[in-house]
Amino acid sequence: MAAFQHCVASPWTRKHCFANTCWKKPCHRGGCCCFSSRKFANLSCVVDGASQNMNNMQLKEVLAWKELLSNDSNQEPQLYTSSKVGNLEQLTLHHVASNQQVQVFLFGATVTSWKKNQVERFFLSQEADFSGKKPIRGGIPLCFPQFGPYGSLAQHGFARNSMWHLKQIGTTKDGSATGVVLSLSSKDVDAAWTSAWPYAFTAQYQLLLGFQGLQTNFWVRNEGEESFSFTFAFHNYFDVSDVSSCQVFGLENIPYYDRRKNDEWNERGEENLAGFQIMEPVDRIYVSTPDELAIFDSSKLQIIKVKKQHLPDSTLWNPFGIEGSDAGWSKFLCLEPGAINQPIELKSGEEWHGSQMLQCE
């Protein structure tokens, strides 16, 4: 079979915007980016998005956007509650049958808590700011329309800095999940941001809480006449016992950019068949990653699975106590599915959808 060379453009190149030019790197395998199934030790999980119990078609069905039925105010038990934290409104969504709840703020559409069986699954910094003047640190900040510093906007774009609107709360038609939909449009974004990214768009963010876990769906549509491009990521902060007690599976032999080394390209990745263990600061953008990744916390004996769709890349990050680190750095690990390496381009009227399903065992 003839080798197929897959090229990727460096985020550094996009950051510095050389007109119509870019550096490109060949695929780490010298062929198409297909990944064979691998089983992690005793974890019943396969890292190419086609596990023993879930093939690619089933994954797409699980991650499909699901229409919600409007909430009946007389329905018991109540699906959600609303409260104020600092200056910000917070919604708490319940799925009683699976003993789960998720909390999300309208500011930034930031999920800050996900509890299953009363156990917290996300890290929220004690330094988190609820004034509405800066992004909330922890949970799932949304990186849109720019990941990191790679573009004309400030770090990670404006989605996490904007006030979103509550569009709908309800249950899925089959009754298997409860959900909430938040919305944002270019009209809602502060002019200080739109002056640097002046495109018309609408975005919707759907959270689904059900027996399979927490599903997050992000949808964006180009409402203008001019095409635009963007990058995106779910900036997941997972709560862990200690970051050095965790192993990450699914990133074996995957090429990556090392952000701690000026985006140095590592074409072959690393073997790490026993899982990648964090023993020093790490900040990497892995390119063309499998649709299923996992974190094993050996102290908690907990497996966190991340199943993703239309999000080809993954960022792995923990500052490991270097200067400027959050005081709780040892208690979180960021594994972030995204569309980072090759920006998504939308022409007028086009739409894009990216999803992840989070599961804990």
Side-chain angles (χ1 to χ4, degrees):
M1 182 180 295
F4 170 77
Q5 204 170 53
H6 172 69
C7 294
V8 293
S10 165
W12 186 93
T13 305
R14 295 200 299 276
K15 177 181 177 182
H16 293 271
C17 298
F18 290 124
N20 300 319
T21 65
C22 66
W23 295 351
K24 294 190 174 183
K25 313 287 185 181
C27 173
H28 69 295
R29 292 176 180 265
C32 63
C33 288
C34 299
F35 300 91
S36 59
S37 299
R38 314 178 192 98
K39 193 181 290 185
F40 337 126
N42 296 320
L43 309 186
S44 59
C45 189
V46 178
V47 298
D48 64 348
S51 69
Q52 294 172 333
N53 300 316
M54 179 174 293
N55 59 32
N56 286 328
M57 183 175 295
Q58 289 172 320
L59 178 63
K60 291 180 180 179
E61 290 174 354
V62 167
L63 296 182
W65 183 281
K66 294 187 178 180
E67 184 177 349
L68 298 180
L69 298 176
S70 297
N71 178 33
D72 181 350
S73 59
N74 296 318
Q75 186 177 9
E76 293 293 340
Q78 192 175 20
L79 295 181
Y80 75 101
T81 56
S82 178
S83 59
K84 202 79 174 285
V85 180
N87 297 331
L88 306 177
E89 184 178 359
Q90 173 186 257
L91 303 175
T92 302
L93 188 69
H94 306 278
H95 189 253
V96 176
S98 63
N99 196 18
Q100 292 183 89
Q101 74 172 37
V102 64
Q103 294 179 326
V104 60
F105 283 82
L106 296 185
F107 178 73
T110 305
V111 172
T112 54
S113 173
W114 170 37
K115 291 182 180 179
K116 182 178 180 181
N117 298 324
Q118 307 302 315
V119 178
E120 181 59 65
R121 310 297 179 171
F122 286 142
F123 170 85
L124 180 63
S125 173
Q126 293 184 356
E127 302 171 18
D129 189 309
F130 299 103
S131 66
K133 295 181 180 179
K134 59 173 63 175
I136 300 171
R137 185 185 299 178
I140 315 179
L142 296 175
C143 303
F144 172 83
Q146 175 184 302
F147 175 84
Y150 306 113
S152 60
L153 300 173
Q155 178 87 349
H156 293 327
F158 52 68
R160 64 181 188 151
N161 293 277
S162 299
M163 190 64 70
W164 291 60
H165 302 282
L166 174 60
K167 184 174 182 179
Q168 189 182 22
I169 292 182
T171 61
T172 54
K173 286 186 175 182
D174 60 8
S176 64
T178 57
V180 60
V181 179
L182 305 180
S183 65
L184 181 75
S185 77
S186 46
K187 297 178 182 178
D188 302 316
V189 180
D190 190 277
W193 294 97
T194 56
S195 61
W197 201 80
Y199 305 106
F201 74 93
T202 53
Q204 292 187 39
Y205 186 36
Q206 182 190 62
L207 305 175
L208 289 172
L209 196 60
F211 292 106
Q212 297 199 47
L214 173 62
Q215 179 177 335
T216 66
N217 297 308
F218 187 86
W219 172 92
V220 62
R221 174 184 172 88
N222 185 344
E223 302 289 1
E225 296 182 358
E226 186 177 356
S227 297
F228 63 73
S229 61
F230 64 91
T231 50
F232 174 84
F234 292 116
H235 198 318
N236 302 320
Y237 283 79
F238 291 110
D239 182 84
V240 297
S241 56
D242 188 287
V243 67
S244 59
S245 297
C246 295
Q247 290 138 310
V248 182
F249 293 90
L251 301 177
E252 301 85 14
N253 299 316
I254 304 296
Y256 64 87
Y257 292 100
D258 193 334
R259 299 185 67 200
R260 288 188 47 77
K261 297 181 179 179
N262 198 30
D263 292 326
E264 178 180 285
W265 174 251
N266 187 316
E267 186 175 344
R268 295 183 179 275
E270 297 176 352
E271 190 73 18
N272 296 321
L273 294 181
F276 181 83
Q277 191 166 10
I278 312 295
M279 301 301 294
E280 61 182 356
V282 61
D283 193 356
R284 299 177 177 181
I285 300 172
Y286 287 87
V287 176
S288 298
T289 58
D291 285 338
E292 186 172 330
L293 307 170
I295 298 170
F296 177 58
D297 188 331
S298 60
S299 294
K300 287 186 176 182
L301 295 179
Q302 172 182 274
I303 303 169
I304 301 170
K305 294 182 181 179
V306 180
K307 300 175 181 179
K308 58 190 179 70
Q309 183 184 5
H310 301 150
L311 299 169
D313 310 314
S314 301
T315 291
L316 184 66
W317 175 64
N318 182 277
F320 215 79
I322 61 174
E323 184 177 355
S325 296
D326 187 279
W329 64 267
S330 66
K331 300 299 183 182
F332 73 80
L333 179 55
C334 289
L335 182 58
E336 313 162 31
I340 302 169
N341 187 60
Q342 295 184 344
I344 305 297
E345 183 174 354
L346 294 182
K347 297 178 181 179
S348 178
E350 289 186 337
E351 303 173 355
W352 175 85
H353 169 231
S355 298
Q356 66 173 354
M357 171 69 78
L358 305 179
Q359 300 174 320
C360 282
E361 299 176 2

